[in-house]
């Protein structure tokens, strides 16, 4: 049984609507909801905003649609809309969806403010059920740390496959981890339990399911081919270290008062860095394409390390 404030998984909507989440994302990340990209070995995380745009540039490159100006792309979990707009300014036509009503409203407002109505649209939508979208209607699909919130990742990926054109590309910036029953040497059991709690309280059901290799196997099962993995763990380490240092003292106070369930992001900043440092979890980019002709065969996952 998963533990959370209500003894059940929190929903993504409830997590993102928590005052701590809203203030933290706004003040620290300018409203963005993803990690920043740094060169491996970087210690100083500032300025953060350019590093976050570099992660969005990495996503654009991973989609591999630069030779298709005007390509139609689904943003499956758009957050406050910055990623969709950044990619739209690079020439992609983005259809953005999110299950959090505030996210949709903020994205629509940003689209209007930037005069990008011809390039970006935003509406409420659940990527588990894309019934309102035609088969084979998108050139690309991406998630930026949102598939970890799926309640049924297999169903979500089946929907992505359905609405993707033959030859279309997907790029998923997501996390995975070691088997919780087999943590790495030196990783204390209470750390694994703490990661479990953070997943529950932040509505990351799929993240709890994503042992290493699980997402690749789901992608293969749905029919994606040319699956590649790129490990960006070292590229997000400076931001994770910053979160850890910022949250550590408040986290000790929160633990003393027994208020962890009300300060999920604070606990996540400390627990997440510890888990990364121990080698328990990592940050990955999964890329693949839909075959030009639907077949049961694929080439399996290939893994690339950042150069």
């Amino acid at each position: 049984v998963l533990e959370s404030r209500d003894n059940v998984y929190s929903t993504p909507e409830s997590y993102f609507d928590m005052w701590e989440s809203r203030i933290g994302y706004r003040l620290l990340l300018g409203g963005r909801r993803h990690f920043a990209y740094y060169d491996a070995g970087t210690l100083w995380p500032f300025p953060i905003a350019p590093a976050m745009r570099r992660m969005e540039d990495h996503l654009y490159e991973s989609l591999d649609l630069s030779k298709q100006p005007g390509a139609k792309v689904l943003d499956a979990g758009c957050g406050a809309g910055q990623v969709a707009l950044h990619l739209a300014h690079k020439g992609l036509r983005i259809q953005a969806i999110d299950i959090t009503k505030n996210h949709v409203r903020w994205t629509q407002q940003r689209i209007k403010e930037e005069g990008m109505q011809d390039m970006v649209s935003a509406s409420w939508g659940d990527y588990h059920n894309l019934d309102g979208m035609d088969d084979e209607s998108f050139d690309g699909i991406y998630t930026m740390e949102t598939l970890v919130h799926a309640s049924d990742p297999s169903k979500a990926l089946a929907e992505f496959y359905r609405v993707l054109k033959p030859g279309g590309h997907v790029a998923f910036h997501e996390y995975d981890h070691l088997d919780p029953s087999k943590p790495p040497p030196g990783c204390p059991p209470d750390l694994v339990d703490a990661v479990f709690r953070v997943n529950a309280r932040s509505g990351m059901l799929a993240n709890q399911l994503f042992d290493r290799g699980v997402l690749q196997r789901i992608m293969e099962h749905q029919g994606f081919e040319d699956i590649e993995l790129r490990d960006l763990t070292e590229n997000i380490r400076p931001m994770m270290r910053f979160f850890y240092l910022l949250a550590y003292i408040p986290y000790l106070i929160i633990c003393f008062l027994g208020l962890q369930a009300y300060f999920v992001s604070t606990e996540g900043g400390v627990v997440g860095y510890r888990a990364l440092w121990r080698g328990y979890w990592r940050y990955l980019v999964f890329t693949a394409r839909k075959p030009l002709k639907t077949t049961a065969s694929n080439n399996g996952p290939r893994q690339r390390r950042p150069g």
Side-chain angles (χ1 to χ4, degrees), residues 8 11 42 47 76 82 102 137 148-149 211 234-236 252 279:
V8 296
T11 65
T42 299
Q82 292 96 331
N102 279 333
S137 55
V148 289
H149 291 285
D211 292 6
E234 291 305 311
N235 304 101
I236 69 162
L252 294 180

Side-chain angles (χ1 to χ4, degrees), residues 166-242:
H169 294 199
V170 297
F172 307 135
H173 280 234
E174 302 295 341
Y175 328 135
D176 75 0
H177 53 78
L178 294 174
D179 183 338
S181 66
K182 301 176 182 178
C187 183
D190 64 334
L191 178 58
V192 176
D193 293 340
V195 172
F196 193 78
R197 290 195 304 271
V198 169
N199 285 335
R201 291 167 176 164
S202 56
M204 292 197 292
L205 175 59
N207 193 34
Q208 190 62 36
L209 302 175
F210 286 162
D211 292 6
R212 292 190 181 181
V214 169
L215 183 52
Q216 301 98 293
R217 290 194 292 272
I218 297 174
M219 293 172 71
E220 291 173 12
H221 179 74
Q222 296 302 337
F224 290 101
E225 65 178 17
D226 295 336
I227 301 170
E228 295 189 8
L229 281 66
R230 187 171 185 185
D231 190 336
L232 301 188
T233 305
E234 291 305 311
N235 304 101
I236 69 162
R237 188 180 292 272
M239 176 174 271
M240 290 296 297
R241 185 187 300 114
F242 166 62

Side-chain angles (χ1 to χ4, degrees), residues 44-55:
W44 187 250
F46 304 106
I48 291 177
M52 299 195 76
R53 287 192 290 272
R54 284 196 295 273
M55 185 64 85

Side-chain angles (χ1 to χ4, degrees), residues 69-73 84-85 87-89 91-96 107-108 110-122:
K72 185 179 179 182
V73 177
L85 284 161
L87 269 58
H89 282 296
L92 301 180
R93 293 184 297 118
I94 309 296
Q95 184 169 344
T107 299
Q108 290 172 338
R110 282 193 169 89
I111 293 169
K112 185 176 181 180
E113 290 173 352
E114 297 190 21
M116 294 293 286
Q117 295 92 329
D118 291 340
M119 296 297 293
V120 189
S121 65

Side-chain angles (χ1 to χ4, degrees), residues 25-196:
Y25 283 119
R26 180 67 177 175
L27 293 182
L28 296 179
L29 306 180
R32 283 174 161 83
R33 283 149 172 75
H34 63 80
F35 284 106
Y37 182 97
Y38 301 87
D39 292 334
T42 299
L43 295 176
W44 187 250
F46 304 106
I48 291 177
M52 299 195 76
R53 287 192 290 272
R54 284 196 295 273
M55 185 64 85
E56 294 164 12
D57 290 337
H58 193 286
L59 170 63
Y60 175 75
E61 295 166 3
S62 297
L63 276 172
D64 195 22
L65 294 172
S66 61
K67 296 181 181 179
Q68 299 182 48
K72 185 179 179 182
V73 177
L74 176 65
D75 180 335
C78 63
Q82 292 96 331
V83 178
L85 284 161
H86 187 73
L87 269 58
H89 282 296
K90 292 179 175 292
L92 301 180
R93 293 184 297 118
I94 309 296
Q95 184 169 344
I97 62 171
D98 203 287
I99 59 172
T100 302
K101 292 180 180 179
N102 279 333
H103 288 176
V104 175
R105 179 169 57 85
W106 296 335
T107 299
Q108 290 172 338
Q109 182 177 351
R110 282 193 169 89
I111 293 169
K112 185 176 181 180
E113 290 173 352
E114 297 190 21
M116 294 293 286
Q117 295 92 329
D118 291 340
M119 296 297 293
V120 189
S121 65
S123 60
W124 186 93
D126 183 346
Y127 54 48
H128 296 90
N129 187 349
L130 301 176
D131 284 351
M133 299 180 183
D134 294 334
D135 293 356
E136 301 181 355
S137 55
F138 290 95
D139 300 292
I141 300 172
Y142 68 85
T143 63
M144 181 63 95
E145 304 170 31
T146 57
L147 192 57
V148 289
H149 291 285
S151 59
D152 187 342
S154 294
K155 185 175 182 181
L157 285 167
E159 283 288 82
F160 293 163
Y161 191 88
R162 178 182 66 80
V163 301
L164 190 65
K165 294 178 182 178
H169 294 199
V170 297
F172 307 135
H173 280 234
E174 302 295 341
Y175 328 135
D176 75 0
H177 53 78
L178 294 174
D179 183 338
S181 66
K182 301 176 182 178
C187 183
D190 64 334
L191 178 58
V192 176
D193 293 340
V195 172
F196 193 78

